[in-house]
C-alpha cells in the first residue's frame, strides 16, 4: 500500500525518507530539454537546504509535541532528535520549542515555520512519488482529504487489506480538488455541498459540527450556554474552509453575535485544529465522523446540549469504467460508512 501526500497531512517525513532509500536503487530521468538551470540558484539551494534532514525531524517533533515519540517515528534516538532541533535553532538564531519534562511546545516562530515547512515537505514527497509511479501501474489510486484520510479512512484500511490482500492501493492525500482524469485517480472521496458531476457517485456520510474540548482544557465559565463560549479560548479555522465550518456561522445559528477571530487561536488546517484542541489549547468546532475516534477515546469531549449544525456530505466517486478492484473497494467503503452511520 502506497501513501502519497499532496499537502496538509501529518505523516509525511517517513515517506520521504523511505522513498529516498528506494531511489538509490534506481534512476529517475526528468526530460526538460529547453530549460536551462541557473547555476547560482542551484548553488544557493545546496547551501540553504543543508538542514533539510533537520526540517524533517522538526516536522516530526511538531506532529508529536514530544522528542521521544518523534524519534520513534523516524527510527532514530531521542538524543539525535534533540541535537538536530538544537542545531536548527542555532542556525536560525531563535528557539523553536519550549521544553518541559513531558512534552515540547512550539514557540511563535516555531508555529510560523511549521506552517510553511510541513506543506512543503509533503509537496516534495508527492512530487517524488508522482515521478516514480507512472506507466504500467496496476494499483488502485484513491484520493481524499488529509483530515478524512487521517481520522476515518486510514484506521480502517487494515481491514480492507486483510479482506483483499490482492488489491494494492495508492492513497493520494490532498486538500486540493485534483483533476481525477489528469492525475490518474480511480476513486475519490470528496467533501462537497452538492454531488460531484460524475456518473458513479454515492453520498457516504453527512457531517454535523459542534463544540468540543479536551479534559485538559480549563474553562473560564460553566459552559452551559452558547454565550459562555464568548468568554472561552476558541480555535478558529482559516484558509480553504467554508463559512459553515467556522465559529461565526455557528454563533449566528445560535442567535449570538460571534466574537472576532483575534479572541482565540487561528489555525489553517483541520488536523492542526484538532491537535490543538486535544492539547487543551481551546474549544474547537469539529464534526463527525472525523472527530468520532477522539470522542470515543475521551481525548475530546462534546459539549452536551449545544446546537449541532448539519453540513455537507462526503461523496464517493468511482471514476473508472467498471474496474473490478474499484468496485470491490467502493463496496467496502459503503459498508464502512453504513457501520459508522449506525454506531457513530
Amino acid at each position: 500500500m502506497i501513501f502519497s501526500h499532496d499537502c496538509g497531512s501529518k505523516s509525511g517525513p517517513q515517506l520521504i525518507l523511505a522513498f529516498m532509500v528506494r531511489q538509490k536503487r534506481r534512476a529517475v530521468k526528468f526530460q526538460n530539454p529547453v530549460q536551462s538551470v541557473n547555476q547560482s540558484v542551484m548553488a544557493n539551494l545546496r547551501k540553504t537546504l543543508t538542514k533539510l534532514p533537520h526540517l524533517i525531524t522538526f516536522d516530526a517533533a511538531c506532529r508529536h509535541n514530544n522528542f521521544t515519540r518523534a524519534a520513534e517515528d523516524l527510527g532514530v534516538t531521542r538524543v539525535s532528535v534533540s541535537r538536530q532541533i538544537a542545531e536548527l535553532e542555532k542556525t536560525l538564531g531563535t528557539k523553536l520549542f519550549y521544553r518541559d519534562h513531558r512534552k515540547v511546545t512550539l514557540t511563535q516562530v516555531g508555529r510560523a515555520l511549521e506552517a510553511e515547512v510541513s506543506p512543503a515537505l509533503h509537496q516534495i514527497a508527492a512530487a517524488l512519488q508522482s515521478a516514480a509511479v507512472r506507466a504500467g501501474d496496476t494499483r488502485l489510486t484513491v484520493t481524499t482529504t488529509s483530515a478524512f484520510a487521517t481520522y476515518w479512512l486510514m484506521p480502517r484500511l487494515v481491514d480492507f487489506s486483510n479482506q483483499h490482500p490482492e488489491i494494492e492501493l495508492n492513497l493520494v492525500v490532498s486538500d486540493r480538488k485534483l483533476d481525477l482524469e489528469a492525475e490518474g485517480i480511480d476513486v475519490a472521496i470528496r467533501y462537497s455541498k452538492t454531488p460531484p458531476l460524475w456518473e458513479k457517485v454515492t453520498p457516504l456520510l453527512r457531517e454535523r459540527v459542534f463544540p468540543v474540548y479536551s479534559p485538559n482544557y480549563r474553562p473560564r465559565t460553566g459552559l452551559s450556554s452558547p454565550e459562555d463560549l464568548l468568554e472561552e479560548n476558541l480555535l478558529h479555522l482559516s484558509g480553504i474552509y467554508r463559512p459553515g465550518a467556522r465559529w461565526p456561522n455557528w454563533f449566528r445559528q445560535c442567535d449570538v453575535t460571534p466574537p472576532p477571530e483575534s479572541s482565540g487561536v487561528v489555525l489553517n488546517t483541520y488536523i492542526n485544529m484538532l491537535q490543538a484542541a486535544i492539547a487543551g489549547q481551546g474549544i474547537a468546532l469539529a464534526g463527525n465522523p472525523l472527530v468520532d475516534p477522539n470522542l470515543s477515546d475521551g481525548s475530546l469531549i462534546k459539549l452536551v446540549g449545544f446546537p449541532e449544525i448539519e453540513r455537507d456530505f462526503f461523496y464517493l466517486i468511482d471514476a473508472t469504467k467498471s474496474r473490478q478492484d474499484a468496485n470491490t473497494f467502493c463496496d467496502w467503503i459503503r459498508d464502512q460508512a453504513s457501520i459508522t452511520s449506525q454506531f457513530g
Side-chain angles (χ1 to χ4, degrees):
M1 189 177 299
I2 305 298
F3 299 93
S4 305
H5 295 253
D6 182 81
C7 66
S9 173
K10 285 290 182 181
S11 56
Q14 61 267 44
L15 295 174
I16 298 174
L17 294 174
F19 182 84
M20 288 180 174
V21 170
R22 291 198 300 272
Q23 286 305 98
K24 291 180 180 179
R25 302 181 188 137
R26 61 180 179 180
V28 178
K29 296 182 180 180
F30 298 88
Q31 297 181 353
N32 196 349
V34 298
Q35 182 178 7
S36 61
V37 178
N38 187 317
Q39 296 300 323
S40 64
V41 171
M42 294 305 298
N44 288 335
L45 281 175
R46 286 194 294 270
K47 181 178 179 181
T48 304
L49 294 182
T50 56
K51 297 300 181 184
L52 182 57
H54 297 65
L55 293 176
I56 294 173
T57 301
F58 169 74
D59 181 73
C62 291
R63 285 185 288 108
H64 294 287
N65 292 319
N66 183 286
F67 286 176
T68 299
R69 288 198 290 272
E72 294 171 354
D73 191 0
L74 296 172
V76 299
T77 65
R78 186 194 185 284
V79 172
S80 176
V81 169
S82 182
R83 175 179 55 78
Q84 289 193 52
I85 296 299
E87 290 175 355
L88 185 59
E89 290 176 328
K90 183 178 179 180
T91 299
L92 298 175
T94 186
K95 288 289 184 184
L96 299 174
F97 291 97
Y98 299 113
R99 280 95 162 159
D100 61 32
H101 181 64
R102 293 183 178 272
K103 67 176 183 177
V104 293
T105 306
L106 285 167
T107 64
Q108 184 175 358
V109 173
R111 288 196 299 271
L113 183 63
E114 182 200 19
E116 299 292 337
V117 165
S118 182
L121 287 177
H122 301 309
Q123 187 173 357
I124 292 171
L128 292 172
Q129 190 72 34
S130 178
V133 183
R134 286 301 183 189
D137 190 2
T138 59
R139 292 169 297 189
L140 184 70
T141 300
V142 179
T143 188
T144 189
T145 64
S146 57
F148 193 86
T150 300
Y151 295 114
W152 195 89
L153 181 58
M154 290 176 66
R156 293 169 167 80
L157 283 181
V158 172
D159 176 76
F160 180 78
S161 296
N162 290 337
Q163 290 188 41
H164 304 284
E166 76 284 0
I167 299 178
E168 185 176 0
L169 297 179
N170 175 30
L171 181 59
V172 179
V173 179
S174 175
D175 289 332
R176 296 185 297 117
K177 284 193 174 182
L178 302 178
D179 184 323
L180 302 188
E181 291 182 341
E183 299 284 346
I185 303 297
D186 301 311
V187 176
I189 301 170
R190 284 188 167 166
Y191 183 70
S192 177
K193 188 174 183 179
T194 58
L197 299 177
W198 284 83
E199 182 180 349
K200 293 183 283 186
V201 175
T202 305
L204 286 179
L205 299 160
R206 189 170 192 179
E207 184 188 39
R208 300 190 318 274
V209 294
F210 40 79
V212 297
Y213 68 101
S214 165
N216 299 321
Y217 177 71
R218 296 181 179 179
R220 302 165 185 166
T221 67
L223 297 179
S224 58
S225 68
E227 288 79 6
D228 284 348
L229 297 186
L230 298 175
E231 306 298 323
E232 301 294 342
N233 196 40
L234 302 180
L235 303 176
H236 296 269
L237 273 176
S238 66
I240 64 173
Y241 300 94
R242 295 196 298 274
R246 305 187 188 194
W247 280 114
N249 178 66
W250 186 86
F251 277 108
R252 283 191 287 268
Q253 295 287 334
C254 299
D255 294 324
V256 176
T257 301
E261 284 189 351
S262 58
S263 64
V265 179
V266 180
L267 302 110
N268 67 345
T269 73
Y270 191 91
I271 292 176
N272 286 345
M273 181 193 70
L274 281 190
Q275 290 303 312
I278 292 169
Q281 296 180 22
I283 298 177
L285 190 63
N288 72 321
L290 303 187
V291 79
D292 290 348
N294 302 109
L295 299 177
S296 297
D297 65 21
S299 58
L300 288 175
I301 300 170
K302 179 179 177 181
L303 283 173
V304 178
F306 280 60
E308 300 180 12
I309 298 176
E310 283 194 338
R311 295 202 63 231
D312 302 339
F313 277 95
F314 292 94
Y315 289 94
L316 174 67
I317 304 170
D318 182 354
T320 71
K321 296 185 182 301
S322 300
R323 268 180 59 170
Q324 183 55 50
D325 55 355
N327 291 338
T328 300
F329 182 79
C330 289
D331 287 343
W332 174 82
I333 283 285
R334 284 187 283 264
D335 288 342
Q336 294 296 313
S338 177
I339 293 171
T340 299
S341 298
Q342 293 176 26
F343 301 103

